[in-house]
C-alpha cells in the first residue's frame, strides 16, 4: 500500500439515490471541503465542483466523481473533507493514493 501502515482514518461511505450514487469521503477531522457532481451530457461526462475557500479537495473530488460516473454509467456525487494536522507533502501523497485505492474498491463493488 505504500503508506507505512497509516490509514489516516480515510473512510468512504456510499449511498444509492435511485439509479445514482453518492460517495462521502472523510478522514482525520471530517468536514465538507469540496463537492463534485458528474453526469453524462451529449455523450460525454461533465462535472460541476464546489470548493470551500481554503480547502484543496476540489480537483480530487472532480476526478473521482468523473471516474465514478464513467464506470457506473450514472450520476455520481463525491463529497470530501479530510483534515490531518501538520500533514507533510508525503502524508498528502499517501492520503491521495489511499483515497484512490479505496475508491477503486468501492466502485468495483458498486458496479456489480
Amino acid at each position: 500500500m505504500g503508506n507505512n501502515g497509516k490509514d489516516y482514518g480515510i473512510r468512504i461511505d456510499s449511498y444509492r439515490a435511485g439509479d445514482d450514487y453518492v460517495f462521502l469521503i472523510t478522514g482525520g477531522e471530517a468536514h465538507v471541503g469540496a463537492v463534485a457532481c458528474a453526469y453524462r451530457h451529449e455523450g460525454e461526462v461533465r462535472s460541476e465542483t464546489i470548493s470551500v475557500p481554503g480547502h484543496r479537495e476540489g480537483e480530487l473530488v472532480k476526478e473521482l466523481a468523473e471516474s465514478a460516473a464513467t464506470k457506473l454509467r450514472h450520476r455520481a456525487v463525491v463529497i470530501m473533507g479530510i483534515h490531518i494536522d501538520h500533514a507533510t507533502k508525503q502524508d498528502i501523497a499517501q492520503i491521495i493514493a489511499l483515497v484512490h485505492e479505496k475508491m477503486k474498491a468501492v466502485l468495483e463493488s458498486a458496479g456489480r
Side-chain angles (χ1 to χ4, degrees):
M1 187 167 4
N3 64 5
N4 299 323
K6 293 182 185 177
D7 74 357
Y8 301 94
I10 303 298
R11 177 182 170 144
I12 301 178
D13 294 306
S14 61
Y15 308 90
R16 291 297 302 263
D19 288 334
D20 303 322
Y21 295 83
V22 177
F23 302 94
L24 175 61
I25 304 172
T26 57
E29 187 178 325
H31 63 284
V32 174
V35 177
C37 178
Y39 52 92
R40 296 192 67 74
H41 181 73
E42 297 180 355
E44 62 184 61
V45 173
R46 297 185 181 185
S47 62
E48 303 291 332
T49 303
I50 300 169
S51 294
V52 175
H55 290 75
R56 298 188 229 164
E57 294 97 344
E59 285 300 314
L60 187 53
V61 294
K62 174 182 168 67
E63 176 188 341
L64 295 171
E66 289 177 356
S67 175
T70 298
K71 178 166 180 59
L72 300 172
R73 302 182 93 30
H74 290 279
R75 286 178 219 121
V77 173
V78 176
I79 304 161
M80 182 183 295
I82 298 172
H83 177 82
I84 307 296
D85 283 334
H86 312 294
T88 65
K89 286 183 180 184
Q90 182 181 2
D91 289 325
I92 293 167
Q94 290 174 349
I95 289 166
I96 291 169
L98 190 55
V99 166
H100 279 287
E101 180 182 309
K102 288 187 175 214
M103 188 66 167
K104 181 180 178 185
V106 168
L107 290 178
E108 286 175 4
S109 66
R112 292 182 194 161

